[in-house]
Amino acid sequence: MLVLSRRIGESVVIGGGSPEAVTITVLEVRGDVVRIGIDAPRSVAVHRAELLAELADANADAASPPEAAVASLSEALRSRT
């Protein structure tokens, strides 16, 4: 991980020479909260890490039905035959 110090108004460019370059700019610092601006092409997805983790957990939960639901479905299928 690259760690940089930046002041308000300063930027970091990722992928500098390419058309897919992303620019991250420090907009404001208030106590322990830092506001950043991200300038990226539409083809580059930008997401907050905590939301991606939450989405992954929700998807895992949705893909794993509860034991009771599986047992109930199994019983229903057995009773049809």
Side-chain angles (χ1 to χ4, degrees):
M1 174 186 296
L2 174 64
V3 179
L4 300 170
S5 296
R6 302 277 76 201
R7 290 188 168 88
I8 294 174
E10 294 181 333
S11 300
V12 174
V13 178
I14 301 170
S18 76
E20 297 294 309
V22 175
T23 302
I24 301 171
T25 305
V26 177
L27 300 177
E28 179 181 21
V29 179
R30 280 191 204 163
D32 62 348
V33 176
V34 178
R35 290 186 63 216
I36 60 171
I38 302 170
D39 184 18
R42 290 188 181 272
S43 60
V44 175
V46 178
H47 301 284
R48 293 181 2 210
E50 65 275 11
L51 293 182
L52 286 177
E54 189 177 308
L55 180 60
D57 290 344
N59 285 342
D61 290 345
S64 304
E67 292 269 337
V70 172
S72 174
L73 181 57
S74 295
E75 182 62 35
L77 289 172
R78 270 189 245 123
S79 67
R80 293 181 89 187
T81 58

